[in-house]
Amino acid sequence: DAMVIQNPRYQVTQFGKPVTLSCSQTLNHNVMYWYQQKSSQAPKLLFHYYDKDFNNEADTPDNFQSRRPNTSFCFLDIRSPGLGDAAMYLCATSSTSGVSVTQYFGPGTRLTVL
Amino acid sequence: DAKTTQPNSMESNEEEPVHLPCNHSTISGTDYIHWYRQLPSQGPEYVIHGLTSNVNNRMASLAIAEDRKSSTLILHRATLRDAAVYYCILIRLGDMRFGAGTRLTVKP
């Protein structure tokens, strides 16, 4: 089945130690998104790629970076994780961007910062 | 950003219909109304979307008020697997902004 895959499902890192989360998709979608979801809160969009074009949300901290080396893969890099960055990180894809487009989400990676 | 308002939580009995309301009084003419749900420990999943007319699919129905300032997601027969947080979202210019959502509890 075509899907959005996130690895690992659980990631533990130390305060200040860089960490990378990965997302891959077999849907061949043009757009890939990264969301942050803290406990008992709604997902919050961090940024997205439309093909190779990177679109950052205005309030996304500089500590968060992303790479998309090809259509299938997208990475979320947290350069110096703080305790406040502990959250579920969700990757999503869509075929295009637009008001009627459906997003397909992966299962998420839960990040713990010690 | 267009804002939606939903009840924090709702309860339903198994195999009964559930009507989940959403208010979006600041909706603009080109905003689509989307519903997603998030089951425990999973990513959100698409449920249904519409613009002006009521919509039906295999998961649910979406009833949109004539003035488009509110909508209702209808689950025709709730099952225990429908227990989730349901998000009503207005999509403008392709960007999706989640509101707080409604946590639906289904009782056996």
Side-chain angles (χ1 to χ4, degrees):
Chain A
D1 284 344
M3 55 198 306
V4 181
I5 303 159
Q6 291 188 246
N7 285 310
R9 292 294 309 277
Y10 300 89
Q11 176 74 56
V12 180
T13 190
Q14 292 181 332
F15 183 93
K17 184 175 180 180
V19 65
T20 295
L21 308 182
S22 71
C23 176
S24 64
Q25 53 129 341
T26 60
L27 296 160
N28 204 32
H29 280 173
N30 296 101
V31 192
M32 295 186 77
Y33 308 80
W34 279 104
Y35 291 84
Q36 180 192 61
Q37 185 174 26
K38 294 187 176 180
S39 182
S40 300
Q41 296 185 19
K44 179 180 180 296
L45 182 65
L46 295 173
F47 28 58
H48 74 275
Y49 274 95
Y50 192 119
D51 292 328
K52 294 184 178 181
D53 292 331
F54 179 69
N55 299 272
N56 199 28
E57 292 299 299
D59 56 354
T60 298
D62 292 340
N63 198 26
F64 292 86
Q65 304 285 320
S66 186
R67 296 171 283 135
R68 189 179 185 187
N70 54 51
T71 299
S72 300
F73 285 87
C74 194
F75 299 99
L76 170 62
D77 300 309
I78 308 176
R79 292 192 297 189
S80 181
L83 298 179
D85 296 327
M88 175 76 82
Y89 289 88
L90 296 160
C91 175
T93 72
S94 64
S95 56
T96 61
S97 68
V99 291
S100 65
V101 171
T102 299
Q103 291 191 15
Y104 296 83
F105 285 81
T109 294
R110 184 168 296 283
L111 178 68
T112 300
V113 181
L114 301 177
Chain B
D1 289 344
K3 184 175 172 60
T4 62
T5 305
Q6 300 176 254
N8 289 334
S9 63
M10 291 184 65
E11 281 190 355
S12 171
N13 293 318
E14 196 176 10
E15 301 203 356
E16 290 186 356
V18 182
H19 290 231
L20 297 164
C22 180
N23 287 319
H24 28 78
S25 58
T26 60
I27 192 170
S28 75
T30 55
D31 289 344
Y32 272 72
I33 303 160
H34 285 240
W35 285 81
Y36 282 72
R37 71 179 186 181
Q38 188 171 23
L39 279 64
S41 301
Q42 296 187 26
E45 66 173 342
Y46 167 80
V47 177
I48 199 165
H49 78 277
L51 182 62
T52 57
S53 303
N54 294 343
V55 185
N56 299 297
N57 66 20
R58 63 174 180 81
M59 289 181 71
S61 296
L62 177 60
I64 301 172
E66 198 167 331
D67 63 4
R68 299 206 331 123
K69 294 187 177 182
S70 65
S71 61
T72 302
L73 179 70
I74 302 165
L75 307 179
H76 295 286
R77 287 182 66 198
T79 70
L80 297 179
R81 289 180 297 178
D82 291 322
V85 178
Y86 286 78
Y87 295 100
C88 167
I89 305 163
L90 299 184
I91 298 194
R92 177 180 295 177
L93 299 177
D95 287 341
M96 190 154 71
R97 301 281 186 270
F98 285 82
T102 296
R103 182 173 298 278
L104 175 66
T105 302
V106 181
K107 297 183 289 184

